[in-house]
Amino acid sequence: MIPSEHIAVLLILIGTIFSFLSAVGLIRLPDIYTRAHALSKGSTIGVLFTLVGTFFFFVLEGYFSIRLFLGIFFVFLTAPVAGHVIVRAAYRSNVALAKESVQDDLRDVIGVAKENKEQL
Amino acid sequence: MIQGILICSLVFLSFAIFATIFRLVKGPTAPDRIQALDALGINIISGVAIFSVFIRSTAFFEVILLIGILSFIGTIAFARYIERGVVIERNDSE
């Protein structure tokens, strides 16, 4: 029977492995959009595993921390929003896609909007 | 046992932070660097949590909350500045 503290520490180890894999994606992928795809999901799940493991570790010692619970909630709420806002800013400021990209559906919509604004 | 697993976790997290700093230095465009800063803030949150388990202290949880809030606000402000050239818009319609 594994002691329950070891379960909390194993949750922390799983979370750091997720962060490490998302950092490998951050190095190897060619483009800001593909990197955002790897990094937003990977870092979010990694930090959530780590914080939940820490939370359980201190709950088992008899200390329920409302600040750590608020931190988990806030990171869970804001990390996807930050990833989306960065990618939108990159696309609106004309950062080029990678050479391997085969499809760009937003080019028609946003390009037409920019032309209309220039005509006005 | 617990100390060994925590040191292994800190080694993995150090590799993640080194990769993030590499992208922060090398990134060809400004949004790449903003993305790397966001990831750096999130990894530092993980590092503070692991360290607080490592020394069995509950004194660092305010630090976790504060780094999360400041990293998010900085990311949003940089992204708006790159997208529109202004962070806070005023309606100067006459």
Side-chain angles (χ1 to χ4, degrees):
Chain A
M1 184 62 198
I2 306 175
S4 42
E5 281 189 352
H6 288 153
I7 294 177
V9 178
L10 279 178
L11 280 178
I12 291 176
L13 181 65
I14 291 170
T16 52
I17 288 173
F18 271 113
S19 294
F20 174 70
L21 291 179
S22 88
V24 171
L26 185 68
I27 285 181
R28 290 199 57 198
L29 289 170
D31 191 6
I32 182 172
Y33 308 105
T34 51
R35 280 198 290 263
H37 179 83
L39 191 138
S40 153
K41 286 184 254 297
S43 291
T44 307
I45 196 74
V47 71
L48 282 179
F49 263 112
T50 309
L51 288 182
V52 166
T54 309
F55 185 74
F56 277 146
F57 186 85
F58 284 107
V59 162
L60 293 172
E61 286 192 352
Y63 182 82
F64 180 84
S65 166
I66 192 66
R67 295 183 191 88
L68 193 55
F69 187 75
L70 272 178
I72 291 171
F73 184 71
F74 191 81
V75 170
F76 185 62
L77 209 65
T78 58
V81 176
H84 165 251
V85 165
I86 292 165
V87 174
R88 194 182 66 175
Y91 196 87
R92 299 283 289 263
S93 59
N94 297 323
V95 174
L97 274 72
K99 298 190 295 293
E100 296 88 357
S101 302
V102 294
Q103 194 173 8
D104 185 7
D105 285 340
L106 274 179
R107 187 177 54 201
D108 302 334
V109 183
I110 291 184
V112 167
K114 278 187 180 177
E115 285 176 3
N116 287 336
K117 194 174 286 186
E118 286 169 0
Q119 285 176 3
L120 291 173
Chain B
M1 176 74 184
I2 287 180
Q3 301 256 334
I5 296 177
L6 286 178
I7 287 174
C8 188
S9 303
L10 280 176
V11 168
F12 275 121
L13 199 68
S14 308
F15 280 127
I17 289 177
F18 280 138
T20 308
I21 289 173
F22 165 77
R23 182 54 65 188
L24 187 69
V25 172
K26 187 182 173 294
T29 59
D32 284 310
R33 294 190 172 95
I34 299 171
Q35 210 178 43
L37 268 181
D38 189 30
L40 184 64
I42 288 177
N43 286 332
I44 285 174
I45 291 172
S46 296
V48 172
I50 294 170
F51 189 72
S52 71
V53 173
F54 192 76
I55 65 173
R56 293 180 183 245
S57 158
T58 62
F60 294 115
F61 294 157
E62 292 99 344
V63 180
I64 289 173
L65 198 54
L66 201 65
I67 291 174
I69 292 171
L70 286 179
S71 168
F72 176 65
I73 289 174
T75 302
I76 296 297
F78 269 124
R80 284 181 71 97
Y81 174 69
I82 279 184
E83 187 176 353
R84 297 175 191 169
V86 64
V87 178
I88 298 171
E89 291 186 2
R90 295 184 182 84
N91 289 322
D92 289 337
S93 59
E94 295 169 352

